[in-house]
Amino acid sequence: MDHVYTNGQMTENHTESESEDDFFLQRLTPIHTIILDFTPVNFIDSVGAKTIKSVIKEFATVDVKVVLAGCSRTLLSDLRTLKFFFEPVTPDLIFPTIHDAVLHCKHSRDAPVCPDLQ
């Protein structure tokens, strides 16, 4: 495919057999994890909790893990009260800092897979 980028516009020379969805939904980089920084979040209501849970589920369908970092004790208490921590969302997706989340994601991504489990 030949693409020409000019002034924020993209002109493309592709065949008619390619659908627009196929073109725009291609992964440009191998994303395996998204870390959501909840440090500035002080409160979450039921709609917000359901939305975050929905986002986690949607990304799980395309093999992208979503983790939360920097949740305050109050926020964690609110999430427990809202019954947020049930499959597929479990407390092991919560990290005290972004750094901890990055280290966990990097370690779990780099960990060798046991041949017996394949």
Side-chain angles (χ1 to χ4, degrees), residues 20-70:
E20 191 173 281
D21 287 343
D22 290 341
F23 178 75
F24 286 108
L25 295 178
Q26 293 176 11
R27 281 191 178 176
L28 300 177
T29 59
I31 297 171
H32 56 83
T33 308
I34 296 174
I35 300 172
L36 299 178
D37 180 11
F38 270 48
T39 304
V41 179
N42 295 320
F43 171 79
I44 192 164
D45 63 359
S46 61
V47 175
K50 286 179 185 178
T51 302
I52 296 299
K53 196 168 195 169
S54 175
V55 166
I56 292 170
K57 287 179 182 179
E58 288 293 320
F59 276 106
T61 62
V62 291
D63 296 325
V64 176
K65 184 178 183 178
V66 178
V67 298
L68 309 178

Side-chain angles (χ1 to χ4, degrees), residues 38-45 49 70-82 84-85 94:
F38 270 48
T39 304
V41 179
N42 295 320
F43 171 79
I44 192 164
D45 63 359
C71 295
S72 68
R73 288 182 185 196
T74 307
L75 184 63
L76 288 173
S77 176
D78 290 345
L79 291 173
R80 281 188 202 97
T81 302
L82 295 168
F84 182 76
F85 297 112
I94 308 294

